[in-house]
Amino acid sequence: MQQKHLTSQEHTHTHTINAKMEQREGDAASAPEERVAQATVQLDEADPLADGGMIADDDVEQVIELDGTMAPECVEESEDEDDEDEGEDDMDAADDADGEGEGARGDGEEPLHSNAIGSCDGHDEPVFCVAMSPAQDVIATGSQDDTAVLARLDSGEVAFKFEGHKDSVTAVAFSASGEFLATGSLDGMIRVWNTSTHEVVLELDSGDDLMFMEWHPKANFLVAGSASGSVLMWDVPAGNMSYFSGHGDTVSDGHWLPGGRAFVTGSDDGTLIMWSPKTKQPIMKLDAKVHMFHTCPVTAVACSPDNVMFATGGADNAVKLINSKASKVVCTFEGHTDVIETLAFSNTQPIFLASGSLDGTVKVYNVATQAIICSCAHEDAIVKVKWHPSKPILYSCSTDGTSRVWDGRTGEPIYTCIGHTHHVLDFAMNTEGNQLVSVGEDGQTLVFAIDNLPAA
């Protein structure tokens, strides 16, 4: 999503990660106002949790401290410069074109080269978010210029420009069928568009600064969280709204469980809640008073593909692994030296968990053994991590101006996407994992081909 670190004053080329931290260091936001929920949600009444689990209910909480002896950082080596060799520059350029050399710039300067295969037009100001359609033929982007753009992926041409927002568009998301596109702006307004006719279907108000927005994995239900602590869900296209009360501060992140029978949200009030969309009541709630949970704002949330395990990151630089069936923290990973910005579970066996931090590192853990697997490093803060849909291949983007691809089992670098001149703020990729689209503060939307992915 999502630029959950933005504030309403940010309409210039500011560092979005720092803005997020400034928000969390300020005073707590006021409690959300009560709303009347009118929706009748037609969802499966079955148990929202899958049977079984990888960790027994009587597992004991443990803290795993990470150090350099356990997981050496896998940092790309730069090409050596040798001015005495006249052919060296040409060789370096050839290597860099394959994504293996220097060239990234995250400070506004021009990169030494770009290995992007294409770009999409439509914005002249920072681009905060990108999503790829289920058909993988178009992408949607949201920008500081208060617009969202629908662009053809093959040609980069603008198919349509969505106008009407009165603040920066910080979230874009396609429904599971691709019929609808939701665009969310910093002022809390959400617009739902028909992707075929480009007409507005719904105009929704989340009540405050929009922090996250996500479609149900199968049905046309849209859930969102705001800076006021509100959690809302709408039935599209009917527009019926449900209100979920339980957080007392900014809802920093949230996701549907892959099975779609529940969703989970994390808050600056230090709580994690799993919600039933049918009853609108908490199924599980964790806090520091009872559950050895974070004693600080929850900054990131992720759900495992088996619907059993959750992960949370906090302003305490720690990652918590949670068994949702036992409503229990089973492991705490410590080793990052700054706030956890992003989390993601792999869709593989064994299941891996990746954490990205403002300290510029990505760490990978084996969920079953609760062991650190490897650590990978960018040159600046991590913004987002995501796994390949079916392989243990990890993708990340950073304020160092690059997106990178790693072997998630070893931390070995596979590819570096170079071309942005400022912070990369989001990326999306196709189901094969060999095409990546990134957006950034330089106003660019760049397309990269990743041709050297491992077979398994």
Side-chain angles (χ1 to χ4, degrees), residues 128-289:
F128 296 132
C129 50
V130 60
M132 191 175 294
S133 69
Q136 303 184 105
D137 55 345
V138 296
I139 61 168
T141 56
S143 169
Q144 186 173 283
D145 63 13
D146 302 350
T147 70
V149 164
L150 195 67
R152 297 182 177 87
L153 189 56
D154 56 357
S155 65
E157 295 179 354
V158 174
F160 193 78
K161 194 162 190 171
F162 301 99
E163 299 178 332
H165 283 287
K166 298 179 180 179
D167 208 339
S168 299
V169 177
T170 56
V172 290
F174 288 95
S175 62
S177 65
E179 180 182 3
F180 301 111
L181 171 69
T183 60
S185 56
L186 207 56
D187 59 8
M189 296 302 299
I190 298 173
R191 289 188 161 211
V192 179
W193 313 79
N194 184 299
T195 54
S196 297
T197 65
H198 305 147
E199 295 179 349
V200 177
V201 177
L202 288 173
E203 294 188 10
L204 312 170
D205 186 0
S206 67
D208 205 337
D209 289 0
L210 181 67
M211 304 306 290
F212 86 90
M213 177 184 74
E214 187 171 278
W215 286 96
H216 186 278
K218 298 177 183 178
N220 292 329
F221 295 98
L222 183 68
V223 66
S226 76
S228 68
S230 300
V231 178
L232 304 168
M233 185 181 72
W234 295 273
D235 176 6
V236 178
N240 299 319
M241 185 192 77
S242 299
Y243 179 73
F244 299 77
S245 177
H247 289 300
D249 205 340
T250 297
V251 180
S252 55
D253 198 8
H255 295 286
W256 287 94
L257 274 66
R261 292 172 181 166
F263 63 89
V264 62
T265 55
S267 170
D268 280 9
D269 65 9
T271 63
L272 176 77
I273 302 179
M274 178 168 64
W275 303 92
S276 165
K278 182 174 180 62
T279 67
K280 309 175 191 63
Q281 297 299 314
I283 300 171
M284 177 194 76
K285 184 173 183 178
L286 297 184
D287 58 34
K289 296 178 182 178

